[in-house]
Amino acid sequence: MPVSARLLADIDGYCAALTAYRAGDVSPIVRAFANAALRAVSNTRQLVEEIETMVESWNHKLMARKSSNAWRILDLTAQRPVIDSATAALELGVKQPNVYPPLKALVDAGILSSKAEHNLRPFWRSDEILGAIDQFAKRAGHRQKS
């Protein structure tokens, strides 16, 4: 999590700290950066724990043989919650048609959902991880667009 995102969650405080810094008082800006860094680390740790918990639950939901590429895509999904078949194939080092069965297994297990939007090819996404990222952004002080 960028520290700047946390700094900008309190724009007035950040501007006051910059003003003090420009006047020769470094304490407010140092405190602002230190507090932002600590909050960013805490928020990031929470996100990582949430994703680890999701992956653990997925390990119990997926009923594929241990050699299935579905397991490798599952690991990839924890890092990339939105993926298309070309990216999955590239990451796995297989031909693109070979990723459709494991992607289907992940959809059937309720781990991924398949979408086709904006006249683009289909992609697969983890709504759970995307939801955790949204909560991460809210905790960081970002506002979602309405």
Side-chain angles (χ1 to χ4, degrees):
M1 157 114 198
V3 173
S4 61
R6 189 62 209 162
L7 284 170
L8 295 177
D10 177 15
I11 293 173
D12 293 338
Y14 178 60
C15 288
L18 283 175
T19 300
Y21 174 75
R22 290 182 187 118
D25 183 5
V26 298
S27 295
I29 197 74
V30 170
R31 270 193 306 277
F33 269 89
N35 288 333
L38 289 173
R39 287 183 177 157
V41 167
S42 175
N43 192 17
T44 301
R45 282 185 178 154
Q46 183 175 344
L47 177 63
V48 168
E49 288 173 9
E50 290 169 357
I51 291 174
E52 287 173 347
T53 300
M54 286 175 207
V55 171
E56 182 61 30
S57 76
W58 295 345
N59 288 332
H60 298 290
K61 287 181 181 179
L62 183 59
M63 298 298 169
R65 66 185 192 288
K66 290 297 177 190
S67 62
S68 171
N69 277 333
W71 294 103
R72 292 176 61 202
I73 294 174
L74 188 72
D75 291 339
L76 180 61
T77 300
Q79 299 168 24
R80 291 182 173 187
V82 179
I83 191 166
D84 63 6
S85 59
T87 302
L90 181 66
E91 289 290 328
L92 297 179
V94 300
K95 294 186 182 203
Q96 194 168 344
N98 295 336
V99 299
Y100 293 109
L103 285 167
K104 182 180 182 322
L106 291 166
V107 169
D108 291 346
I111 296 168
L112 297 181
S113 58
S114 179
K115 305 281 183 188
E117 296 176 355
H118 311 294
N119 296 322
L120 299 173
R121 286 181 271 167
F123 59 92
W124 290 261
R125 59 188 258 172
S126 166
D127 293 325
E128 284 181 279
I129 289 185
L130 293 172
I133 291 169
D134 287 344
Q135 292 304 310
F136 170 82
K138 282 182 185 177
R139 289 189 306 267
H142 294 283
R143 295 187 183 123
Q144 289 185 330
K145 295 179 182 177
S146 300

